[in-house]
Amino acid sequence: MLLFLISPYFFFGMLIASLLTAGIIGILAVSADKIVRGPPKSLTGLKTSMAVTAIVTFLGSISLIYLVGVYFLGYGFSWLYFTVGLVAIFMILQWLLSPYMIKAVYRASEPKPEESWVSEMVTKMAKDAGLKSIPKAVIAEVPAPNAFAFGSPIAGNYVAITRGLLQLFPKEEIEAVVGHELGHLKHRDVATLLAISLLPSAIYFIGRMLLAWGWLAGDSREREGGAMFYVLIGAILFVAGFLFQFLVTHFSRLREYFADYHSAKLTGNPRMLQRALARLTLIYESNPNVSNQINKSAAMLFIVNYFVSMSGGMAYENIDYWFPYSKKPYIPKDINIDEAVEKIMNRKESAFLELFSTHPSTPKRLRFLENLRNKVPY
């Protein structure tokens, strides 16, 4: 393993990959406004965008793996099958076991007797939504207001509401937030995102593997350029995996719109979710330290995401997360929430940052919900 780290071929490959990645990020920064468009204007447009994104991601990944396995390396598919299978096993195990870790990290437990209305609300809304398996309601002991859905076939499904959301939000807005989370469960978003990210993750891993293999080839394989050939292909796959990740995060943002639509349909009033999103935005903007209470590696679970992780991996955790302060988040007073919705809706936020986020910006989500309000039925 140490030989990999001191190999000049490995360093050269990583240098190429880093330069290519830096160049791509520069291009994205310049053209972000053109790449990241406005919110979907209709449910049909949203579904079409999701289908196209999934097809492009799948076919692009398959084509790239095919070229590597057959045309470039000439080894056939056996080792690629093994690598993809290994990545799949790891991701599936993570999916199956993650609910137990999530419950432990966020100290999520069933509502207390005086909070039984939370369970009753989740159960009723789940039945109204037509879910075959009724998720359990749990309270996450986090002062930051938020909510998330999670689960797996072996652990069951859960809708988690943080203590902050329970204490700071009116019931009708909590219902709208729960409707969004039930949308994720009904649409099987965790499993869907797992499936669409499998091949891009495998491509990234294969690229890293070829960078490490490159120096081992030495000059013994004059065919195809020897070690340098492996390094170059590895660097290309490394960058390709990075690029495919943008499609995955774009798909994730579309699923957030889809969950917003589900909330609007289930509650019959898109305005309630608009108010909840606006209130969340005001609280997070008025309390910068609140985001430290939420594990950034799990940020994609939450209804709002104020944490951008370019790598998608474990991010540094502030000590405030492990030892959260008990002070409640400050809420701006004398706020007309409907006026706040209108103001936030008209904001223009960074398109470049949104490229790296699993969630659309709040103004875009508010505009999407406004489109739903103006159409009957939604």
Side-chain angles (χ1 to χ4, degrees), residues 164-237:
L165 189 77
L166 199 62
Q167 293 175 338
L168 302 175
F169 278 56
K171 283 188 178 182
E172 61 270 17
E173 291 179 20
I174 295 177
E175 286 183 359
V177 169
V178 168
H180 173 96
E181 300 307 331
L182 290 174
H184 283 309
L185 294 177
K186 184 174 182 178
H187 304 150
R188 296 182 174 86
D189 282 339
V190 173
T192 301
L193 285 168
L194 175 71
I196 198 174
S197 63
L198 171 59
L199 291 179
S201 298
I203 288 172
Y204 178 85
F205 182 77
I206 291 168
R208 291 294 300 267
M209 188 168 60
L210 288 178
L211 286 173
W213 279 0
W215 80 277
L216 286 175
D219 294 326
S220 62
R221 283 195 175 274
E222 296 180 1
R223 174 183 178 271
E224 309 289 17
M228 192 57 65
F229 172 77
Y230 286 96
V231 168
L232 290 174
I233 296 302
I236 291 172
L237 290 178

Side-chain angles (χ1 to χ4, degrees), residues 12-49:
F12 181 71
M14 290 302 295
L15 177 62
I16 293 175
S18 298
L19 290 174
L20 288 173
T21 302
I24 290 168
I25 291 176
I27 294 172
L28 292 173
V30 172
S31 56
D33 286 326
K34 296 181 180 179
I35 297 173
V36 179
R37 304 294 180 86
K41 294 182 179 179
S42 66
L43 181 60
T44 301
L46 174 59
K47 290 182 176 180
T48 300
S49 296

Side-chain angles (χ1 to χ4, degrees), residues 339-351:
E339 288 183 2
V341 168
E342 298 300 325
K343 289 181 180 179
I344 295 172
M345 194 189 315
N346 293 315
R347 286 184 187 175
K348 180 175 175 56
E349 297 193 348
S350 171

Side-chain angles (χ1 to χ4, degrees), residues 13-307:
M14 290 302 295
L15 177 62
I16 293 175
S18 298
L19 290 174
L20 288 173
T21 302
I24 290 168
I25 291 176
I27 294 172
L28 292 173
V30 172
S31 56
D33 286 326
K34 296 181 180 179
I35 297 173
V36 179
R37 304 294 180 86
K41 294 182 179 179
S42 66
L43 181 60
T44 301
L46 174 59
K47 290 182 176 180
T48 300
S49 296
M50 288 191 292
V52 170
T53 303
I55 291 171
V56 169
T57 304
F58 178 75
L59 292 182
S61 301
I62 286 288
S63 299
L64 189 57
I65 290 176
Y66 179 84
L67 289 174
V68 172
V70 176
Y71 181 75
F72 287 115
L73 300 182
Y75 283 141
F77 287 110
S78 58
W79 72 277
L80 285 177
Y81 280 146
F82 175 78
T83 304
V84 174
L86 191 65
V87 172
I89 290 172
F90 175 79
M91 293 177 70
I92 291 172
L93 284 176
Q94 186 180 38
W95 170 45
L96 293 175
L97 301 177
S98 62
Y100 301 107
M101 184 178 298
I102 291 170
K103 288 175 67 177
V105 168
Y106 291 107
R107 293 170 292 160
S109 58
E110 294 184 9
K112 299 174 182 177
E114 61 270 22
E115 300 163 341
S116 60
W117 64 269
V118 176
S119 296
E120 293 169 0
M121 176 184 65
V122 170
T123 299
K124 180 182 182 302
M125 294 183 71
K127 290 179 179 179
D128 291 343
L131 271 71
K132 295 180 180 178
S133 176
I134 305 300
K136 292 182 179 179
V138 292
I139 306 298
E141 297 300 334
V142 180
N146 226 309
F148 56 99
F150 63 100
S152 72
I154 64 173
N157 292 325
Y158 299 86
V159 171
I161 298 171
T162 67
R163 181 64 60 188
L165 189 77
L166 199 62
Q167 293 175 338
L168 302 175
F169 278 56
K171 283 188 178 182
E172 61 270 17
E173 291 179 20
I174 295 177
E175 286 183 359
V177 169
V178 168
H180 173 96
E181 300 307 331
L182 290 174
H184 283 309
L185 294 177
K186 184 174 182 178
H187 304 150
R188 296 182 174 86
D189 282 339
V190 173
T192 301
L193 285 168
L194 175 71
I196 198 174
S197 63
L198 171 59
L199 291 179
S201 298
I203 288 172
Y204 178 85
F205 182 77
I206 291 168
R208 291 294 300 267
M209 188 168 60
L210 288 178
L211 286 173
W213 279 0
W215 80 277
L216 286 175
D219 294 326
S220 62
R221 283 195 175 274
E222 296 180 1
R223 174 183 178 271
E224 309 289 17
M228 192 57 65
F229 172 77
Y230 286 96
V231 168
L232 290 174
I233 296 302
I236 291 172
L237 290 178
F238 181 91
V239 175
F242 177 79
L243 284 174
F244 276 120
Q245 188 59 36
F246 285 103
L247 288 174
V248 174
T249 53
H250 176 62
F251 186 79
S252 175
R253 291 194 295 271
L254 293 174
R255 302 301 282 191
E256 291 298 323
Y257 285 122
F258 202 26
D260 285 348
Y261 163 77
H262 183 269
S263 174
K265 182 180 178 181
L266 186 60
T267 61
N269 188 356
R271 193 62 167 182
M272 289 300 102
L273 185 58
Q274 284 183 311
R275 289 173 179 170
L277 291 172
R279 201 180 302 275
L280 284 166
T281 298
L282 293 174
I283 291 174
Y284 275 84
E285 289 178 349
S286 302
N287 301 268
N289 291 329
V290 163
S291 62
N292 291 333
Q293 301 167 17
I294 298 177
N295 186 307
K296 297 175 181 60
S297 63
M300 66 177 295
L301 291 172
F302 294 85
I303 186 172
V304 292
N305 180 6
Y306 281 83
F307 330 98

Side-chain angles (χ1 to χ4, degrees), residues 305-370:
N305 180 6
Y306 281 83
F307 330 98
V308 178
S309 173
M310 291 173 61
S311 66
M314 291 295 291
Y316 172 77
E317 302 298 349
N318 190 293
I319 192 170
D320 287 342
Y321 166 71
W322 296 106
F323 303 98
Y325 62 93
S326 58
K327 183 180 177 181
K328 291 183 181 180
Y330 163 76
I331 304 178
K333 295 182 179 179
D334 301 324
I335 291 293
N336 184 313
I337 194 62
D338 287 318
E339 288 183 2
V341 168
E342 298 300 325
K343 289 181 180 179
I344 295 172
M345 194 189 315
N346 293 315
R347 286 184 187 175
K348 180 175 175 56
E349 297 193 348
S350 171
F352 178 66
L353 287 179
E354 187 173 338
L355 281 173
F356 296 92
S357 178
T358 56
H359 289 54
S361 67
T362 300
K364 288 184 178 180
R365 293 174 71 179
L366 295 178
R367 290 197 291 272
F368 173 70
L369 289 165
E370 189 68 15

